[in-house]
Amino acid sequence: MIRDVASTPYPDQKPGTSGLRKKVRVFQQPNYAENFVQAVFDVIDGKDGATLVIGGDGRFLNREVIQVAIRIAAANGFARVVVGRGGILSTPAASNLIRELGALGGLILSASHNPGGPTEDFGIKYNMANGGPAPEKVTEAIHARTLTIDRWRAVDADDLDLDVIGESDVGDMTVEVVDPVASYAALMERLFDFDAIRAANLTMAFDAMSAVTGPYATEILERRLGFAPGTVRNGTPLPDFGGHHPDPNLVHAAVLYETMMADDAPDFGAASDGDGDRNLIIGRGRFVTPSDSLAMLAANAHLAPGYAGGLKGIARSMPTSAAADRVAAKLGIPAFETPTGWKFFGNLLDAGMATICGEESAGTGSDHVREKDGLWAVLLWLNILAATGKSVDRIARDHWATYGRNYYARHDYEGVESERADALMAELRAGLGDLPGRRFGDLTVEAADDFAYQDPTDGSVSRNQGVRVLFAGGSRVVFRLSGTGTSGATLRVYLERYEAEAVDGETNLMLGGITAAADAIAGIVRHTGRTEPDVVT
Ligand code: VG1
Ligand code: CO
């Protein structure tokens, strides 16, 4: 029944910020997905008799890799695989299922906000028993195993029908196809006051970007909360996301932005990404940056039943603006600064040190699961709007009046030649010691370093997590290379300026001096040949 298939290693199976992401064509090479899945199973303990959750965002190759992973899981000792109907599970719903079922872990098949289709991207990520992405020591062990692997094992079995709810056997293992939405929607009903949201009679537009949140948003927003039919746009998951980038930002969700800036805009607008863990928040006439959203959600979370007891702490990734730190200070709770990527929040959440976490890249979440959660952020915003009776714009203005405003933008330079991007970062790192005291326009460098993080729960240290240049007065610029791209390098430049009083400025104008300083410090034009970023978020 169980077959060992001889194989040879691929040199490029190093997981990045969030799992292994490659072009579909790379994943289609013989043994490529099989090697990686087997390497995961070779590294993790406790498979005998255990449950594994499998699901993905519905992109091209999702179903094929699920069938392969089921056959390999059956040959590696698992007793049970639970898979979402149609192969669908949003990343936060997968995290929730792992936790609810007491599973050993889960395979999440997604390249998240990256485009999908035969010539675009695919990805595989392993999550642990706590429902969160494998920490660095595990992803490093998986990578090491991919470099020595010489076989993968599978049971001989036909493809399963993933579209019918129910159980079947694959070898000695049971596979259960479940409704991907039910237990996630029930969790949301426990956290938020659905009656109050319904009673507030708000209007809304939600763009699911032809990705995984369509079925979740339709069930929760339209069926359970009573928003009008048609509130959810692009609600059917498509293997190529309709040819778009399922990245909820002002560039790729431009249609939603226009809707929300119009005179007849609904009260609230939101979007989510390919795998459902990101969120974009736009009120009528008011875009809220993800860093501000984190701070505003944290400041008001106690208005939702799930957080009525208050927060234990707030964690943000290093490039995320310090707006959330000011909320933590006011609440008298700890603020944590971690490297980019959700895997660094897991230990803080498990230890009960933080309740709400967030990233500037439109990820926010809490200790209800161990992933960021797009719809969770949308529902918390709706709960806050319902509880306060205020508009999004009013909440933002009131927040800035209390805490001051962290003007913020991220400039992405995409598809830069890797050698050029590496040269830029190397030069930057080499020159860090000379920066303190130097002036750029009216900005004076106070400190500069390459961010390193020591996890307060297990003492593990992660180095080289991005270059920070801090200016006197609380402004800063951060430089790092993306760890989720699949071709060339993406340089991310994060710009931030704090103002206690001047909270009504235009972000572009307010960040002009820092943008100029960023180029003077890093030589962006000189190294990349680019005079403008490709994407500004
Ligand atoms: C990006 C974001 C990071 C996020 C990661 C995964 O990583 O910057 O904040 O955690 O994507 O998000 P990078 O290394 O490209 O900057 V998702 O929604 O793509 O799983
Ligand atoms: Co995502």
Side-chain angles (χ1 to χ4, degrees):
M1 268 298 268
I2 294 180
R3 247 176 346 123
D4 272 15
V5 180
S7 185
T8 50
Y10 284 94
D12 63 346
Q13 296 196 320
K14 185 175 164 56
T17 309
S18 182
L20 179 71
R21 294 186 191 179
K22 298 285 174 193
K23 290 287 174 210
V24 163
R25 276 197 296 265
V26 173
F27 269 103
Q28 285 171 325
Q29 298 171 93
N31 301 325
Y32 194 90
E34 290 86 344
N35 273 12
F36 189 75
V37 171
Q38 182 66 55
V40 169
F41 294 161
D42 283 346
V43 159
I44 55 173
D45 294 326
K47 298 179 290 293
D48 278 336
T51 297
L52 179 75
V53 170
I54 306 182
D57 62 8
R59 71 179 59 222
F60 190 85
L61 223 55
N62 192 44
R63 286 170 179 264
E64 289 81 351
V65 174
I66 288 177
Q67 301 286 0
V68 166
I70 288 172
R71 286 190 280 266
I72 299 179
N76 278 272
F78 285 98
R80 192 174 191 85
V81 157
V82 175
V83 56
R85 183 181 49 221
I88 292 287
L89 279 179
S90 77
T91 291
S95 181
N96 178 48
L97 265 191
I98 293 168
R99 295 165 65 79
E100 282 197 353
L101 298 170
L104 180 69
L107 289 171
I108 301 180
L109 310 178
S110 170
S112 190
H113 58 289
N114 297 11
T119 60
E120 297 293 354
D121 293 356
F122 190 74
I124 306 181
K125 181 167 76 162
Y126 184 70
N127 282 31
M128 312 287 283
N130 71 348
E136 271 193 332
K137 66 175 188 308
V138 176
T139 57
E140 280 162 11
I142 293 168
H143 178 225
R145 177 62 187 141
T146 65
L147 297 174
T148 59
I149 198 158
D150 58 1
R151 59 93 185 94
W152 51 273
R153 36 188 22 193
V155 300
D156 278 318
D158 292 335
D159 280 359
L160 286 180
D161 186 347
L162 297 176
D163 294 309
V164 179
I165 297 219
E167 291 193 353
S168 37
D169 291 333
V170 174
D172 294 334
M173 188 180 82
T174 304
V175 179
E176 186 184 1
V177 176
V178 299
D179 177 340
V181 177
S183 75
Y184 175 84
L187 172 63
M188 294 300 117
E189 290 217 43
R190 293 196 294 277
L191 293 175
F192 302 114
D193 187 345
F194 275 38
D195 289 336
I197 297 173
R198 263 191 300 268
N201 275 318
L202 297 162
T203 54
M204 169 171 189
F206 180 87
D207 191 344
M209 305 194 89
S210 305
V212 81
T213 39
Y216 295 87
T218 305
E219 172 64 26
I220 294 170
L221 299 175
E222 295 189 7
R223 295 209 190 96
R224 300 197 186 193
L225 287 171
F227 284 98
T231 294
V232 178
R233 305 168 174 192
N234 302 312
T236 305
L238 301 176
D240 67 348
F241 309 121
H244 300 293
H245 283 236
D247 192 347
N249 59 37
L250 298 185
V251 177
H252 296 298
V255 176
L256 178 72
Y257 181 76
E258 277 160 30
T259 302
M260 296 310 300
M261 295 302 133
D263 290 340
D264 61 348
D267 299 309
F268 189 67
S272 192
D273 71 331
D275 62 330
D277 56 1
R278 296 188 180 200
N279 68 89
L280 169 69
I281 301 296
I282 315 178
R284 183 189 300 122
R286 169 63 64 192
F287 161 63
V288 182
T289 69
S291 294
D292 272 350
S293 179
L294 170 66
M296 292 168 194
L297 290 178
N300 294 290
H302 61 277
L303 297 171
Y307 306 92
L311 309 180
K312 293 171 183 146
I314 305 172
R316 63 168 173 87
S317 65
M318 180 273 280
T320 304
S321 96
D325 301 10
R326 296 179 182 276
V327 175
K330 181 133 195 248
L331 293 173
I333 56 175
F336 298 93
E337 185 177 33
T338 61
T340 293
W342 210 261
K343 58 183 175 241
F344 294 100
F345 293 133
N347 284 352
L348 297 173
L349 294 166
D350 284 350
M353 296 168 81
T355 306
I356 285 192
C357 309
E359 295 192 276
E360 54 63 41
S361 55
T364 1
S366 86
D367 57 2
H368 68 293
V369 290
R370 293 293 179 274
E371 288 278 5
K372 54 190 190 266
D373 187 344
L375 271 169
W376 171 90
V378 169
L379 293 168
L380 181 49
W381 264 104
L382 287 171
N383 200 146
I384 292 166
L385 296 181
T388 59
K390 292 183 188 176
S391 67
V392 172
D393 183 56
R394 187 74 261 154
I395 286 175
R397 288 176 187 281
D398 289 353
H399 188 94
W400 295 329
T402 306
Y403 296 95
R405 182 170 175 185
N406 292 70
Y407 292 92
Y408 190 87
R410 189 181 88 192
H411 290 185
D412 290 338
Y413 298 81
E414 296 177 342
V416 178
E417 273 174 61
S418 295
E419 299 74 47
R420 290 178 149 210
D422 290 343
L424 181 149
M425 290 302 293
E427 192 181 291
L428 199 51
R429 290 192 159 107
L432 281 178
D434 300 332
L435 281 175
R438 279 188 61 190
R439 287 182 65 86
F440 297 90
D442 56 5
L443 295 161
T444 305
V445 177
E446 206 168 64
D449 68 1
D450 194 348
F451 183 62
Y453 175 65
Q454 179 164 33
D455 185 307
T457 70
D458 66 9
S460 61
V461 177
S462 302
R463 297 183 202 285
N464 303 322
Q465 298 295 326
V467 167
R468 304 189 283 191
V469 180
L470 312 174
F471 302 105
S475 297
R476 62 170 196 168
V477 56
V478 173
F479 303 89
R480 61 179 283 281
L481 299 184
S482 160
T484 58
T486 58
S487 53
T490 294
L491 171 68
R492 302 202 196 283
V493 182
Y494 309 81
L495 309 153
E496 178 178 353
R497 168 172 172 182
Y498 177 70
E499 289 289 337
E501 308 288 338
V503 299
D504 285 322
E506 269 298 318
T507 299
N508 270 348
L509 299 176
M510 297 303 279
L511 294 177
I514 298 171
T515 309
D519 186 55
I521 291 168
I524 300 169
V525 179
R526 176 166 51 86
H527 280 286
T528 67
R530 309 282 179 83
T531 51
E532 294 288 331
D534 298 281
V535 178
V536 176
T537 53

